Amino acid sequence: MASDIACSLTQKKCKPCEGGVPPLAPDAVQNYLSGLPGWQLTENKKGIFRTWKFKDFLSAMDFLNHIAHVAEDNDHHPDFHLTGYRNVKIEMTTHAIDGLSENDFILAAKIDEVPTALKK
C-alpha cells in the first residue's frame, strides 16, 4: 500500500526547472524518501536510485519502456541502467540545480505505480 507521501506525489506533475533554485534541504529529502520504500540516496547525495530484478529481459524492457512514457509525460527524465539482461537501476537528479528537487520524488512515486514482472 502506498504511503500518504507517495499518494500525494503521484497527484502532482513535474515543473520545469531551469536552475536558479537551491536543491532540496536534507530534511526534505529524508521526508520524501521515508514515503518511497526502496528508493535510496546516491553516494554523493545529489540523486536517488532504485533497483529491480525482473523475471526476464522482455519484462525489464517493458518496464523501462513504460517508464519512458511516464518520464516524457512529466518532462523529467531519469537515467536507465540495464545489466545482466534483467537487472534494472533507475537514477534521478535535477541536473539544472545539481541536486534533488521535488520533481525527482514525483517521478519516483509514479515509477512505483508501474506494474512489474519481478523474479520470484
Side-chain angles (χ1 to χ4, degrees), residues 6 9 13 15 31 34-35 41 49 60 62 64 70 77 79 86 90 94-95 100-101 117:
L9 288 167
K13 187 158 174 92
K15 297 176 183 159
N31 182 54
S34 72
L41 273 176
F49 73 95
D62 184 53
L64 290 173
V70 173
H77 305 93
D79 293 335
R86 65 180 179 187
I90 295 179
T94 302
H95 297 285
L100 289 162
S101 71

Side-chain angles (χ1 to χ4, degrees), residues 11-74:
Q11 301 304 308
K12 296 182 178 186
K13 187 158 174 92
C14 295
K15 297 176 183 159
C17 181
E18 300 298 328
V21 297
L24 290 173
D27 59 330
V29 169
Q30 288 305 318
N31 182 54
Y32 282 131
L33 281 175
S34 72
L36 297 169
W39 289 92
Q40 302 173 51
L41 273 176
T42 57
E43 193 172 311
N44 67 6
K45 300 188 182 346
K46 293 182 177 186
I48 57 173
F49 73 95
R50 184 169 174 190
T51 60
W52 295 263
K53 186 172 195 168
F54 288 85
K55 68 178 187 175
D56 55 34
F57 179 75
L58 289 177
S59 297
M61 288 305 301
D62 184 53
F63 179 69
L64 290 173
N65 283 322
H66 194 109
I67 292 171
H69 291 281
V70 173
E72 189 66 17
D73 287 345
N74 283 273

